[in-house]
Amino acid sequence: MQFIRPEILRPPSEHDSYFLPLTSGCSNNTCAFCSYYGSKLQLRDVNDAKREVDALALYVESGICLSDMPPIVYAISRGWDGKRIFLQDGDALVYPFPKLKEVLEHVNRKFPALERIGSYATPQDILRRSLGELKELQKLKLGIFYMGVESGDEDVLKAIGKGIGVRQMIEAGRKVKDAGSILSATVILGLGGVAGSTKHALETAKILTAIDPDFVGALTLTLVPGTPLYQQWQEGRFSLISPFQSLKELKIIIENSAFTDCFFSSMHASNYLSVRGQLPQDKQRMLNTLESVLQIGDSSLLRPEFLRGL
Ligand code: SF4
């Protein structure tokens, strides 16, 4: 079957990267809120991926475009600074290890000055890899993994079909760190609904403390039509928290978590307010910002609904 190149869905911090697809879809396509829900995982042929790397190298060296390469390759290359590559798609770490190594070795040969390679990874993918394998990947510059923690609340993880519990989630996060790689964790405000809001936030602070990631990105739940959570909401079985409640959750998470050294942000377009800082040192400043917006309670201080994105 022909590999269908996925749309570019990437973490905000990868905006300058070249996007190299190794897979399409997500191997764990059961998360009730996610646009990858029900997606069919496709693995790209390794030689096909290497051909794209060759084409990219040729373009960077000499500006030559090959007619058999899709135009998107050159559209991305034009704005590329040559420093980072992001492997698509929803969990590129699921790509079979020997093939992943082969592609990474090829990338390293063609771009020796590359600074880093990143990918999304499910906790299941991480647990499937040995520590030694993760270290090998790190040596080949696949050194940052974006893992969706979503919540530290066991009930929420179950309800959203994450397919993994709190203990394994912590194990996966710690494993990335033990391998010497960078871990960026994502959590989703509002995932516990109105009734579970405070518990979701408190438990999320706990799991983040236990994992101690290098980066945390907080997103705010945005319902995607066609997903089970969207349907639950339509049927009145799930209630969305208000924009100000999302700030309260953010405040609870920042207040109750303890990190060694973590860049924490809510810069993602789904959020109603962007706060960011290095924790622990910026904790009070971030809490003060949230508290003052909560106290004023003026929705003009928040990102308008029409400007929110996934
Ligand atoms: S593991 Fe991640 S990408 Fe896959 S369905 Fe769940 S949230 Fe979406």
Side-chain angles (χ1 to χ4, degrees):
M1 200 180 22
Q2 203 204 341
F3 179 77
I4 299 170
R5 196 181 186 95
E7 272 180 51
I8 296 171
L9 286 180
R10 51 132 183 108
S13 53
E14 295 286 341
H15 57 95
D16 286 334
S17 299
Y18 182 82
F19 304 106
L20 178 68
L22 296 186
T23 65
S24 172
C26 168
S27 68
N28 181 47
N29 57 6
T30 56
C31 301
F33 62 90
C34 180
S35 55
Y36 283 99
Y37 177 82
S39 65
K40 230 179 160 41
L41 180 74
Q42 254 200 312
L43 301 180
R44 190 179 189 182
D45 176 73
V46 72
N47 291 320
D48 190 29
K50 283 162 72 179
R51 263 197 304 276
E52 180 169 330
V53 174
D54 290 340
L56 178 62
L58 181 67
Y59 177 79
V60 168
E61 277 159 26
S62 56
I64 295 171
C65 300
L66 301 177
S67 57
D68 62 343
M69 278 292 135
I72 183 78
V73 168
Y74 300 109
I76 312 168
S77 326
R78 270 176 217 117
W80 190 44
D81 62 8
K83 291 184 182 159
R84 294 178 179 185
I85 287 181
F86 182 73
L87 305 175
Q88 291 179 272
D89 194 16
D91 65 330
L93 188 61
V94 77
Y95 202 58
F97 184 73
K99 292 184 181 182
L100 182 54
K101 257 186 81 176
E102 191 178 332
V103 174
L104 292 176
E105 279 162 0
H106 194 65
V107 166
N108 276 276
R109 261 194 305 277
K110 291 286 173 179
F111 298 101
L114 199 69
E115 287 176 4
R116 122 186 154 187
I117 304 170
S119 87
Y120 284 125
T122 65
Q124 291 92 326
D125 295 331
I126 294 164
L127 293 176
R128 225 177 281 126
R129 300 271 73 90
S130 71
L131 195 61
E133 285 174 336
L134 290 177
K135 283 181 180 169
E136 274 189 69
L137 297 179
Q138 217 264 333
K139 275 195 198 126
L140 291 167
K141 297 187 186 166
L142 177 48
I144 179 163
F145 294 105
Y146 297 87
M147 183 177 88
V149 170
E150 333 300 10
S151 175
D153 183 340
E154 200 80 69
D155 295 331
V156 172
L157 291 180
K158 240 182 237 149
I160 60 165
K162 191 71 192 167
I164 204 157
V166 168
R167 193 185 53 76
Q168 293 161 298
M169 187 76 84
I170 294 171
E171 198 187 322
R174 296 298 318 169
K175 197 169 183 179
V176 169
K177 303 255 334 197
D178 289 347
S181 299
I182 299 169
L183 179 69
S184 180
T186 307
V187 297
I188 303 183
L189 308 173
L191 211 47
V194 172
S197 176
T198 306
K199 181 165 165 257
H200 162 59
L202 282 169
E203 296 298 314
T204 299
K206 262 194 221 164
I207 199 171
L208 289 176
T209 301
I211 295 174
D212 200 16
D214 304 281
F215 295 90
V216 171
L219 278 65
T220 301
L221 179 63
T222 310
L223 292 172
V224 179
T227 58
L229 203 58
Y230 183 86
Q231 199 177 339
Q232 286 172 33
W233 170 72
Q234 277 193 318
E235 292 166 357
R237 292 185 289 123
F238 181 83
S239 324
L240 279 176
I241 58 168
S242 68
F244 283 107
Q245 186 63 30
S246 78
L247 301 196
K248 282 187 193 155
E249 285 194 7
L250 195 54
K251 187 165 171 268
I252 292 172
I253 295 172
I254 295 172
E255 207 158 33
N256 291 279
S257 52
F259 299 104
T260 309
D261 188 20
C262 174
F263 184 76
F264 189 111
S265 85
S266 66
M267 291 185 296
H268 190 268
S270 62
N271 293 307
Y272 289 97
L273 188 75
S274 176
V275 289
R276 69 183 90 170
Q278 203 68 36
L279 294 177
Q281 56 267 44
D282 295 331
K283 190 173 199 160
Q284 204 47 56
R285 176 184 58 76
M286 291 163 79
L287 291 175
N288 290 347
T289 304
L290 286 163
E291 186 53 36
S292 70
V293 175
L294 280 167
Q295 271 191 11
I296 297 166
D298 180 351
S299 46
S300 71
L301 296 170
L302 307 180
R303 175 177 280 134
E305 207 61 55
F306 73 93
L307 284 181
R308 290 181 64 225
L310 273 180

